[in-house]
């Protein structure tokens, strides 16, 4: 008995031998062979996927996957494939039975396959009633006379009653001349048949007109049966052929639609159906009529008799579309709800397919489908008459017919151009998804030459103007077809789409937006003129030149950017609140095509705000600044005089470290903002992507922040995306500003106030000029006389100040005011410039320069000159350049300008709001915040990605902060003579 170990060893040996026998060159490949490649003497072996030889006296079967006996031979045995044994029939039995197993005598000849055949009106009988094989086949004549009215069936095996039209016309089963045989029906030539129809189908996109095998067989018979007998199925079939021919309305043509119109016009006596003027008895309803302007009456004259809401029962929140479906032959199939996804060619889950009919949810679906799959799934076209179901006041269920706008409809001269004008539309009723039938020219079983596919289907729902209860106009379904020339179905594909759009008349909203833009734009012009006037006064110039015009345009760009920003933010938040929060529908979102103006406004706001931001950046990088050191020498020191060899007493030098310290502190606060930019970006991204606020930007009625992975995700609304993101930016920034101003700066750290205190403790004032004759002054003169002292004396000074044992810090006696807006006289500015030119080593008076001194000594001397001049100016030493201190008027504060012009004396305006931050990031938070919001929004609208927008927004913040710090540091070193190496 074999042990398990021996079995395992044997299995391992076999696996090794098998692995060694694997082909190394060809791998796991095999030749491609098809049944058509095998020829008559071979068959296609489905187990080997290759051709195999048939046996003696055999040939390939019709299916190609087995062998059959040649004519004159019968089968003895058959196991499929080539397992067939054939035997020659006796000489006196020249035929083979229909099943191929027996030989038989054929009295009326043989077919090409060697089987018996009979005449036209005969049936073939090979066995007796009890199944016994006859020695000789019988051809039995079907009695077509009045007693039987029989004829062979399609298979030729039974006598059945012939078609009723034969009996009606000829009282027999024969339709001989002068009677007319068409489509398997018999018509009398004297009955007034409709005109001879053209069995052609036009494929305009391909420029092809072909004779359809289906039309050739059924068009004339369907038209005649519909016309003569009011046959319901024939009328439906005729209508279907008209729809397959794109509802052609050419008056000079007798195609399927021409025949339909002929019958429609001449059957007015039959009356109408359901009181609908366009629906004739016995005929399908294909058209709404071709009168100009009729479409607007159909779509706008009446509203749909029910209301819809975003929150309520299924009847209130869903569109209950239902369709009557017919096959090509005109047979009614069934009523079908669209919730089954019958109009959506793209495969998807049932939940997502059904989401298309949730009221208020914009639905979009598109995909590519192979032609081979279309031919497989839609071999026979199905035609639909679409209705919208509703419940009447009495509880009865009713249907509202949904009109169809066929974008491929072939118009008559009256409707040459469809255009966007509703009055030019010609509405129809019936449509199909795929027509793979009319494009067949010959055998109806073969592939069509051309197929026509509904590549674009759009259901449009329009809200009634000024409704508060969710009332809509009748829906409209728009269908666009694509003609495909079938060449290689496996490699060909078609892009198809299905969408449900909701729209309302946006003209009133557009008018209100235009009015708001006009009013605010006009106010922006006035505000910019005031700014320009204030700027002219601050520059000390009264001439209107090119620079003035350019400055006005820059001011106007910033103000107009604010106007666009206010309008877009207001619009976005309006749609966000009123669309998402409503229960009974009163507003619907603008369509993507209606959002173009909104996107343009955002682009304009961003472009203009970027221009304002760059101008702000340049102005801050060119500001004039000087640190006035009030420290005076304490005693004298002995100093050797270079070149003379003697020692003289001189004033003790004043330490420069306090100035370097203040310069570094100023350098640090240049880009301090009222908010934390990194936290701002991360918080906005957190609420959008993690909490789920981004879901509020979807074009559906849901206000939920979460979405199931199984549910349909509606497309984004650009207006809602901007509204959600801008609202979050503003809300988080507002909370940050409140937090920093109320809590952080009061209890933890206020860098701006600390800088002012530090100036006072360092005995250094800051003199800033943002304009030629306007700037800011921070009074940092120490109340203790000296700041360059030891720790013990410093603590003592602070204690005395805390106990009010010394004077106050203000510029004026007994005041605390340390910050001022200054408007200096022209004379003062000219004197400042003369010294400043020497300070920057551009040029200077000869008396200030020493040709033997090096550059450093010249700069040091110029610095001391400027320090002495400005300190003496503050101390009222120069009576010809004196100044006064006063408060600004309320109107001056509001307008941001000065009414008094400093002609004789300069003016120092008391400032408790630390307005010197206007030359820093801190004082321009509004401009920076709006620029960040617009930058974020532009990136998001272009990429549809909040993550990318947040990343790029933070990067641009850091880039501009780096530029502001780097160039601001260079400007600081240049204007104050602080060595840049000491700025860290």
């Amino acid at each position: 008995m074999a042990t398990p170990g021996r079995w395992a060893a044997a299995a391992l040996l076999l696996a090794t031998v098998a692995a060694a026998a694997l082909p190394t060159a060809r791998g796991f490949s095999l030749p491609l062979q098809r049944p058509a490649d095998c020829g008559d003497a071979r068959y296609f072996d489905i187990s080997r996927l290759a051709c195999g030889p048939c046996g003696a006296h055999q040939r390939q079967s019709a299916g190609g996957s087995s062998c059959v006996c040649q004519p004159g031979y019968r089968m003895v045995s058959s196991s499929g494939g080539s397992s067939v044994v054939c035997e020659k029939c006796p000489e006196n039995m020249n035929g083979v039975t229909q099943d191929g197993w027996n030989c038989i005598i054929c009295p009326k000849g043989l077919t090409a396959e060697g089987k018996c055949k009979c005449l036209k009106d005969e049936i073939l009988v090979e066995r007796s009633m009890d199944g016994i094989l006859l020695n000789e086949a019988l051809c039995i004549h079907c009695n077509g006379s009045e007693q039987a009215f029989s004829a062979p069936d399609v298979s030729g095996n039974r006598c059945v009653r012939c078609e009723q039209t034969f009996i009606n016309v000829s009282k027999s089963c024969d339709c001989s001349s002068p009677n007319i045989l068409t489509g398997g029906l018999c018509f009398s030539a004297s009955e007034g048949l409709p005109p001879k129809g053209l069995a052609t189908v036009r494929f305009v996109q391909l420029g092809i007109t072909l004779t359809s095998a289906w039309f050739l067989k059924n068009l004339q018979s369907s038209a005649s049966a519909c016309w003569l007998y009011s046959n319901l199925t024939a009328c439906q079939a005729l209508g279907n052929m008209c729809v397959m021919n794109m509802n052609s309305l050419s008056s000079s043509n007798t195609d399927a639609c021409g025949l339909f119109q002929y019958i429609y016009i001449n059957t007015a006596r039959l009356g109408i159906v359901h009181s609908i003027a366009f629906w004739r008895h016995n005929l399908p309803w294909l058209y709404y009529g071709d009168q100009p302007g009729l479409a607007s009456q159909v779509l706008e004259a009446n509203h749909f008799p029910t209301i819809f809401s975003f929150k309520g029962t299924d009847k209130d929140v869903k569109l209950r579309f239902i369709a009557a479906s017919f096959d090509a032959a005109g047979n009614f199939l069934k009523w079908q709800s669209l919730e089954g996804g019958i109009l959506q060619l793209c495969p998807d889950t049932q939940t997502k397919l059904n989401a298309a009919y949730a009221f208020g949810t914009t639905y979009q679906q598109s995909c590519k489908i192979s032609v081979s799959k279309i031919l497989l799934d839609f071999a026979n076209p199905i035609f639909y008459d679409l209705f919208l179901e509703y419940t009447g006041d009495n509880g009865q269920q009713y249907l509202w017919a949904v009109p169809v706008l066929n974008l491929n409809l072939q118009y008559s001269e009256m409707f040459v151009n469809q255009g966007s004008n509703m009055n030019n539309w010609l509405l129809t009723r019936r449509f199909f998804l795929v027509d793979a039938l009319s494009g067949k020219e010959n055998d109806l079983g073969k592939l069509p030459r051309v197929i026509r596919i509904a590549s674009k289907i759009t259901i449009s729902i329009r809200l009634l103007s000024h409704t508060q209860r969710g009332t809509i106009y009748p829906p409209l379904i728009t269908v666009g077809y694509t003609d495909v020339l079938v060449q290689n179905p496996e490699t060909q594909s078609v892009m198809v789409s299905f969408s449900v759009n909701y729209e309302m008349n946006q003209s009133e909203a557009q008018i209100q937006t235009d009015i708001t833009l006009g009013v605010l734009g006009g106010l922006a012009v006035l505000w910019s003129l005031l700014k320009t006037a204030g700027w002219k006064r601050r520059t000390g110039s009264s001439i209107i030149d090119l620079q003035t015009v350019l400055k006005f345009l820059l001011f106007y760009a910033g103000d107009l950017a604010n106007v666009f920003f206010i309008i877009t933010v207001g619009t976005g938040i309006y749609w966000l609140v009123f669309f998402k929060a409503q229960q009974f529908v009163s507003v619907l979102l603008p369509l993507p095509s209606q959002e173009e103006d909104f996107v343009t406004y955002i682009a304009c706001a961003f472009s203009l705000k970027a221009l304002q931001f760059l101008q702000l950046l340049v102005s801050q990088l060119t500001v004039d600044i000087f640190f006035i050191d009030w420290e005076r020498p304490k005693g004298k020191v002995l100093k050797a005089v270079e070149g003379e060899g003697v020692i003289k007493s001189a004033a003790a030098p004043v330490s420069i470290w306090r100035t370097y310290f203040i310069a570094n502190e100023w350098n640090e606060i240049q880009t301090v903002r009222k908010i934390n930019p990194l936290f701002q970006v991360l918080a906005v991204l957190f609420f959008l992507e993690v909490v789920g606020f981004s879901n509020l930007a979807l074009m559906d009625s849901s206000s939920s922040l979460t979405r199931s992975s199984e549910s349909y995700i509606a497309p984004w609304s650009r207006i809602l995306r901007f509204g959600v993101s801008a609202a979050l930016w503003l809300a988080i920034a507002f909370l940050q500003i409140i937090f920093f101003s109320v809590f952080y700066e009061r209890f933890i750290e206020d860098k701006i106030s600390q800088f002012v205190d530090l100036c006072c403790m360092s005995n250094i004032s800051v003199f800033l000029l943002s304009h030629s004759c306007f700037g800011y002054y921070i009074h940092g003169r120490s109340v203790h006389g000296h700041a360059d002292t030891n720790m013990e004396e410093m603590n003592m000074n602070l204690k005395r100040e805390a106990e009010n044992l010394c004077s106050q810090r203000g510029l004026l006696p007994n005041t605390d005011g340390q910050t001022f807006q200054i408007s200096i006289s022209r004379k003062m500015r000219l004197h400042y410039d003369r010294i400043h030119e020497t300070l920057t080593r551009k040029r200077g008076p000869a008396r200030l320069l020493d040709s033997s001194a090096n550059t450093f000594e010249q700069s040091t001397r110029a610095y001391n000159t400027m320090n002495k001049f400005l300190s003496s100016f503050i101390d009222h030493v120069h009576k010809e350049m004196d100044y006064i201190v006063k408060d600004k008027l309320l109107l001056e504060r509001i307008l941001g300008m000065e009414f008094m012009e400093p002609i004789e004396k300069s003016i120092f305006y008391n400032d408790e709001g630390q307005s010197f931050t206007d030359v820093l990031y801190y004082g321009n938070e509004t401009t920076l915040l709006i620029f960040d919001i617009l930058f974020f929004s532009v990136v998001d609208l272009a990429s549809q990605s909040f993550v990318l927008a947040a990343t790029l927004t933070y990067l641009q913040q850091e880039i501009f902060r780096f530029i502001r710090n780097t160039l601001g540091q260079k400007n600081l070193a240049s204007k104050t003579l602080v060595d840049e190496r000491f700025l860290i």
Side-chain angles (χ1 to χ4, degrees):
M1 183 175 179
T3 63
R6 291 180 180 177
W7 284 114
L12 179 61
L13 178 61
L14 288 174
T16 304
V17 173
L22 286 175
T24 57
R26 295 176 55 193
F28 298 96
S29 65
L30 66 156
L32 173 62
Q33 292 184 333
R34 298 180 174 87
D37 301 331
C38 298
D40 291 337
R42 297 192 299 169
Y43 76 104
F44 185 74
D45 190 338
I46 60 175
S47 64
R48 298 190 306 114
L49 301 179
C51 296
C54 288
H57 312 299
Q58 298 176 15
R59 59 183 176 86
Q60 189 186 76
S61 65
S65 60
S66 63
C67 298
V68 294
C69 296
Q70 294 179 351
Y73 291 82
R74 73 178 186 92
M75 286 189 298
V76 176
S77 65
S78 175
S79 300
S82 62
S83 301
V84 179
V85 178
C86 298
E87 179 183 79
K88 186 174 178 59
C89 290
E91 294 294 335
N92 61 335
M93 292 186 175
N94 56 347
V96 181
T97 57
Q98 297 294 317
D99 56 20
W101 285 94
N102 301 99
C103 298
I104 195 169
I105 299 173
C106 298
K108 296 189 178 182
L110 302 174
T111 64
E113 291 80 18
K115 298 177 180 179
C116 298
K117 68 177 182 179
C118 293
L119 299 180
K120 177 182 178 182
D121 295 330
E122 296 177 338
I123 60 172
L124 177 66
V125 178
E126 296 178 334
R127 296 179 182 273
S128 62
M129 291 295 293
D130 55 0
I132 298 175
L133 181 69
L134 301 177
N135 187 50
E136 181 177 349
L138 302 177
C139 288
I140 300 177
H141 179 75
C142 292
N143 190 351
S145 61
E146 188 173 354
Q147 292 79 9
F149 290 132
S150 64
D153 62 3
V154 177
S155 63
N157 296 326
R158 295 176 57 207
C159 290
V160 295
R161 180 180 173 86
C162 57
E163 213 283 329
Q164 185 63 36
T165 57
F166 286 76
I167 302 173
N168 293 341
V169 172
S170 63
K171 303 301 181 182
S172 69
C173 290
D174 183 28
C175 189
S176 57
S177 182
N179 299 322
I180 300 172
L181 177 64
T182 175
L185 303 179
C186 186
F187 300 97
S188 173
S190 61
E191 286 184 309
L193 296 176
K196 179 68 175 178
L198 298 176
T200 57
V201 181
R202 293 179 60 198
F203 296 94
V204 179
Q205 296 175 1
L206 301 176
I208 296 175
T209 300
L210 56 82
T211 300
S212 169
W214 176 260
F215 282 35
L216 198 62
K217 179 181 179 181
N218 298 289
L219 176 60
Q220 198 65 40
S221 59
S222 298
S224 300
C226 179
W227 169 246
L228 294 176
Y229 307 122
S230 296
N231 184 279
L232 300 181
T233 304
C235 292
Q236 295 292 336
L238 177 62
N240 292 341
M241 284 184 271
C242 176
V243 174
M244 284 192 278
N245 217 0
M246 295 290 98
N247 298 86
S248 171
L249 279 180
S250 176
S251 58
S252 61
N253 197 352
T254 56
D255 58 5
C257 293
L259 293 178
F260 179 85
Q261 289 293 334
Y262 174 85
I263 297 174
Y264 180 87
I265 293 172
N266 289 281
T267 55
R269 66 185 185 281
L270 298 179
I272 59 177
V273 178
H274 299 303
S275 302
I276 298 175
F278 315 110
W279 196 346
R280 190 63 45 79
H281 261 298
N282 302 327
L283 295 178
W285 179 11
L286 297 187
Y287 301 94
Y288 277 87
D290 57 0
Q291 298 85 4
L294 181 62
S296 60
Q297 298 180 28
V298 172
L299 296 174
E300 295 182 343
N302 299 297
H303 63 80
F304 186 67
T306 190
I307 61 175
F308 292 93
S309 66
F310 284 171
K311 303 173 181 64
T313 63
D314 286 346
K315 294 181 180 180
D316 297 325
V317 301
K318 281 191 175 182
L319 296 164
R320 294 177 290 162
F321 285 105
I322 188 172
S325 56
F326 302 83
D327 63 10
N331 299 299
F332 176 79
L333 300 178
K334 59 181 176 180
W335 286 102
Q336 290 181 271
S337 171
L338 293 198
E339 285 198 357
I342 62 173
L343 299 187
Q344 290 125 297
L345 296 178
C346 298
D348 212 333
T349 63
Q350 195 66 39
T351 302
K352 294 181 179 180
L353 292 174
N354 292 342
Y357 309 107
F359 188 80
T361 299
T362 298
Y363 184 91
Q364 291 180 355
Q365 181 196 56
S366 62
C367 65
K368 271 190 176 181
I369 302 182
S370 67
V371 172
S372 60
K373 177 174 175 56
I374 291 175
L375 292 174
L376 180 64
D377 295 344
F378 300 94
N380 297 307
I382 297 177
F383 299 84
Y384 301 99
D385 290 343
L386 190 61
F387 299 88
L388 185 57
E389 184 182 352
Y390 68 96
T391 304
D393 295 335
N394 57 358
Q396 175 69 35
Q397 297 298 108
Y398 292 96
L399 298 177
W400 190 285
V402 178
V404 177
L405 178 62
N406 185 350
L407 299 179
N408 301 69
L409 191 148
Q410 299 170 15
Y411 293 91
S412 64
E413 292 78 5
M414 185 181 300
F415 293 89
V416 174
N417 182 19
Q418 177 184 358
S420 58
N421 186 357
M422 187 183 298
N423 291 323
N424 291 336
W425 291 355
L426 178 61
L427 301 179
T428 60
R429 279 285 298 136
R430 184 166 293 187
F431 66 97
F432 60 87
L433 297 182
V434 177
D435 173 19
L437 182 63
S438 65
K440 295 181 179 181
E441 291 183 291
N442 299 310
D443 189 353
L444 292 176
K446 294 182 178 180
L447 287 177
R449 182 183 174 191
V450 181
I451 61 174
R452 183 171 273 150
I453 303 165
S455 56
K456 181 180 180 181
I457 300 178
T458 302
I459 298 177
S460 301
I461 312 296
R462 294 187 306 127
L463 191 68
L464 196 69
S465 299
H466 306 292
T467 181
Q468 300 295 328
R469 301 289 294 176
T471 308
I472 64 173
Y473 288 113
L476 172 70
I477 179 169
T478 304
V479 184
Y481 291 95
T482 298
D483 300 336
V484 179
L485 185 64
V486 180
Q487 295 173 326
N488 190 344
E490 299 296 334
T491 59
Q492 289 179 279
S493 61
V494 181
M495 177 64 73
V496 298
S497 66
F498 176 84
S499 60
V500 180
N501 294 331
Y502 294 84
E503 56 184 297
M504 63 179 292
N505 188 350
Q506 301 289 344
S507 59
E508 184 175 345
Q510 184 62 47
I511 291 173
Q512 293 174 351
T513 301
D514 292 341
I515 293 174
T516 305
L517 180 60
V519 172
L520 294 181
L523 294 177
V525 172
L526 298 178
W527 188 246
S528 301
L529 288 173
L530 287 174
K531 284 185 176 180
T532 307
W535 173 82
K536 290 294 291 181
R537 174 152 294 184
R538 290 180 175 184
T539 57
S541 172
S542 59
I543 302 174
I544 299 178
D545 51 8
L546 180 60
Q547 184 183 13
T548 306
V549 175
L550 292 177
K551 199 67 180 179
F552 166 74
L553 293 177
L554 287 174
F555 283 135
Y556 186 58
D559 294 334
L560 192 58
N562 294 335
V563 170
F564 280 122
F565 179 75
I566 292 171
I567 290 176
T568 52
V569 170
T571 302
I573 295 178
Y574 168 84
W575 287 113
L576 177 64
V577 173
F578 283 90
F579 176 73
K580 290 290 184 177
Q582 61 187 338
Q583 177 176 357
F584 292 102
V585 185
S586 60
V587 294
L588 290 175
L589 289 173
L591 296 175
S593 60
Q594 296 172 325
E595 294 178 331
E596 298 303 324
D597 287 343
F598 180 82
V599 175
T600 301
Y601 290 166
I602 294 178
C604 291
F606 171 71
S607 302
L608 296 173
K609 185 56 68 173
L611 187 62
Q612 181 192 20
F613 173 70
L614 293 177
Q615 185 267 340
L616 172 67
L617 202 61
V618 171
S619 65
Q620 290 191 0
L621 294 175
T622 55
V623 67
D624 289 321
I625 182 171
F626 192 84
F627 299 122
I628 305 172
D629 192 351
W630 295 99
E631 196 74 13
R632 295 296 177 259
K634 298 171 65 176
K636 293 186 177 182
V637 296
L638 297 177
K639 183 177 180 182
V641 180
E642 185 177 354
E644 298 181 6
V646 296
I647 299 176
K648 294 183 178 180
S649 64
V654 176
S655 173
I656 194 64
W657 287 108
R658 289 173 298 100
T659 301
Y660 285 170
F661 182 58
I662 293 298
N664 274 288
E665 289 301 314
W666 176 265
N667 194 44
E668 286 183 8
I669 67 172
Q670 288 193 96
T671 54
V672 170
R673 293 180 58 174
K674 294 182 179 180
I675 64 173
N676 186 316
L678 178 59
F679 175 81
Q680 177 77 20
V681 171
L682 292 179
V684 169
L685 192 60
F686 172 79
F687 280 101
L688 285 173
E689 296 294 346
V690 179
V691 178
F693 276 82
S694 61
N695 291 319
L696 295 177
L698 297 174
M699 297 179 71
D700 58 24
S701 58
S702 174
S703 55
S704 172
L705 299 182
T706 58
R707 293 291 193 276
S708 170
S709 58
E710 301 295 326
S711 63
Y712 168 74
I713 304 300
W716 299 105
S717 165
R718 290 180 290 184
I719 291 180
L720 293 186
R721 282 184 77 92
F722 178 79
V724 171
S725 60
L728 282 175
W729 269 90
L730 292 173
I732 295 173
F734 179 71
L735 292 176
Q736 277 207 82
I737 291 173
I738 291 179
F739 168 77
F740 279 104
S741 60
V742 174
F743 177 76
Y744 188 85
E745 292 180 352
R746 179 172 296 184
F747 299 106
I748 300 178
E749 182 183 28
D750 183 357
K751 292 185 177 181
I752 304 301
S753 297
Q754 287 177 353
F755 177 78
V756 176
D757 292 338
L758 197 60
C759 287
C760 188
M761 296 307 300
S762 301
N763 204 16
I764 289 177
S765 295
V766 182
F767 191 83
L768 286 161
L769 289 177
S770 57
H771 300 73
S772 297
C773 297
F774 181 84
Y776 307 92
Y777 173 66
I778 302 175
H779 187 61
R781 192 170 191 173
S782 175
V783 297
H784 309 290
H786 293 278
D788 197 359
T789 183
N790 57 33
M791 181 182 296
E792 183 180 358
E793 187 174 352
M794 178 69 73
N795 289 331
M796 185 62 69
N797 290 338
L798 292 174
K799 183 177 180 182
R800 292 179 60 216
E801 190 171 357
E803 295 175 354
N804 291 325
L805 299 178
C806 58
S807 60
Q808 294 177 291
R809 293 181 176 183
L811 174 63
L812 299 177
N814 299 320
T815 63
D816 289 324
Q818 292 180 262
T819 59
F820 300 88
Q821 296 181 16
I822 59 175
S823 181
I824 63 175
S825 64
R826 191 67 184 164
K827 186 183 296 184
M828 163 66 183
R829 179 68 200 199
L830 292 174
H831 195 79
Y832 177 90
D833 288 341
R834 281 198 297 269
I835 303 175
H836 190 265
E837 287 172 0
T838 307
L839 181 64
T840 55
R841 298 184 298 277
K842 292 180 180 179
R843 64 183 185 275
R847 62 183 176 83
L848 293 178
L849 298 177
D850 185 359
S851 59
S852 62
N854 57 34
T855 304
F856 177 77
E857 292 175 344
Q858 295 175 12
S859 299
T860 303
R861 189 173 303 174
Y863 169 79
N864 291 329
T865 303
M866 179 67 80
N867 191 74
K868 183 177 180 181
F869 166 69
L870 291 178
S871 59
S872 61
F873 170 73
I874 298 298
D875 283 340
H876 300 279
V877 173
H878 305 281
K879 297 303 180 181
E880 74 281 6
M881 292 183 291
D882 205 357
Y883 67 91
I884 61 173
V885 179
K886 62 181 304 244
D887 292 327
K888 261 193 171 183
L889 299 175
L890 177 61
L891 189 58
E892 288 180 312
R893 294 178 183 272
I894 294 174
L895 297 180
M897 62 184 299
E898 297 75 35
F899 295 158
M900 292 183 61
E901 188 173 354
I903 300 176
E904 296 294 333
K905 293 184 178 182
S906 300
I907 304 174
F908 278 40
Y909 294 100
N910 289 312
D911 174 32
E912 298 178 359
Q914 300 175 339
S915 60
F916 69 88
T917 56
D918 287 348
V919 298
L920 306 173
Y921 264 14
Y922 190 89
N924 295 276
E925 184 59 48
T926 301
T927 300
L928 298 174
L929 179 62
I930 293 177
F931 178 73
D932 288 343
I933 294 174
L934 291 173
F935 185 92
F936 179 92
S937 300
V938 167
V939 175
D940 173 62
L941 292 179
S943 64
Q944 298 286 287
S945 171
F946 288 126
V947 176
L948 179 62
T951 303
L952 294 183
T953 301
Y954 179 70
L955 286 179
Q956 68 86 11
Q957 289 175 343
E958 290 300 302
I959 290 172
F960 282 114
R961 190 176 69 86
F962 174 78
I963 294 173
R964 176 67 178 84
N965 276 332
T966 303
L967 299 183
Q969 181 174 305
K970 291 184 180 297
N971 180 66
L972 182 65
S974 172
K975 299 295 177 60
T976 62
L977 204 68
V978 173
D979 196 321
E980 193 173 354
R981 293 172 296 179
F982 292 97
L983 296 176
I984 56 176

